[in-house]
């Protein structure tokens, strides 16, 4: 998992795993933090992940929903781990961070690099992690506009 170390996950962290797929990342994150909400939009993947994670170490809940929306009713989260790339800062997800919370993702904005977004004093800052190239997740593509 490209950014678990970058996020500095601790044993008391509540984690939102965005784009959990079949649940591998959620299982790993459950061993690092206290509880994980694993978000996936594909119904078939939700069923598979739910079955595989039924006996996971730590508390893992698999939910279905739009990845870019996050899980507003269950936040705030100490860590949000985005399993893929995005093309612009995910404001909806950033709003679900707890104070001191961290969001890790790969941002493709001319180059492809892992970033750590931090919420401190109600403000969001960010710092670069490392070069990485992963596919852009569904719903995270930047809207196309007309440019002269």
């Amino acid at each position: 998992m490209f950014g678990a170390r970058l996020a500095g996950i601790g044993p008391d962290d509540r984690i939102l795993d965005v784009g959990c797929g079949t649940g591998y990342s959620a299982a790993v994150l459950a061993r690092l933090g206290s509880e994980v909400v694993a978000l996936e939009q594909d119904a078939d993947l939700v069923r598979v992940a739910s079955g595989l994670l039924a006996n996971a170490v730590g508390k893992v809940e698999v939910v279905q929903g739009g990845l870019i929306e996050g899980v507003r009713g269950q936040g705030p989260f100490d860590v949000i781990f985005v399993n893929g790339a995005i093309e612009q800062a995910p404001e909806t997800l950033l709003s679900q961070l707890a104070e001191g919370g961290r969001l890790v993702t790969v941002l493709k904005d001319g180059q492809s690099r892992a970033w750590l977004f931090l919420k401190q004093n109600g403000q969001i800052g960010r710092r670069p992690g490392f070069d990485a190239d992963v596919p852009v997740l569904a719903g995270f593509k930047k809207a196309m506009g007309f440019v002269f």
Side-chain angles (χ1 to χ4, degrees):
M1 292 186 11
F2 67 85
R5 185 172 183 142
L6 183 61
I9 298 170
D12 296 326
D13 285 335
R14 291 190 70 243
I15 305 164
L16 174 61
D17 181 20
V18 178
C20 72
T22 60
Y24 174 78
S25 57
V28 172
L29 293 168
R31 288 194 168 268
L32 300 173
S34 68
E35 68 181 271
V36 177
V37 176
L39 175 63
E40 180 53 58
Q41 64 186 17
D42 182 284
D44 291 331
L45 291 175
V46 168
R47 280 191 290 281
V48 170
S50 295
L52 292 172
L53 293 168
N55 296 318
V57 172
K59 183 180 177 193
V60 179
E61 177 185 1
V62 181
V63 297
Q64 183 176 357
L67 302 181
I68 198 164
E69 298 303 318
V71 187
R72 289 182 190 263
Q74 295 192 29
F77 297 97
D78 301 304
V79 175
I80 298 177
F81 187 83
V82 181
N83 281 293
I86 62 175
E87 292 184 340
Q88 60 189 9
E91 299 302 327
T92 306
L93 294 176
L94 292 170
S95 71
Q96 295 174 42
L97 281 175
E99 184 63 32
R102 291 95 58 212
L103 181 144
V104 176
T105 189
V106 171
L107 180 62
K108 290 188 174 189
D109 61 350
Q111 58 183 340
S112 189
R113 175 173 285 162
W115 285 88
L116 175 65
F117 290 81
L118 302 161
K119 183 175 184 179
Q120 294 178 322
N121 300 318
Q123 302 295 314
I124 302 291
R126 69 180 190 172
R127 68 174 193 229
F130 48 86
D131 292 340
D133 191 25
V134 295
V136 176
L137 285 174
F140 286 96
K141 285 196 175 279
K142 191 182 292 185
M144 299 299 288
F146 185 74
V147 179
F148 286 94

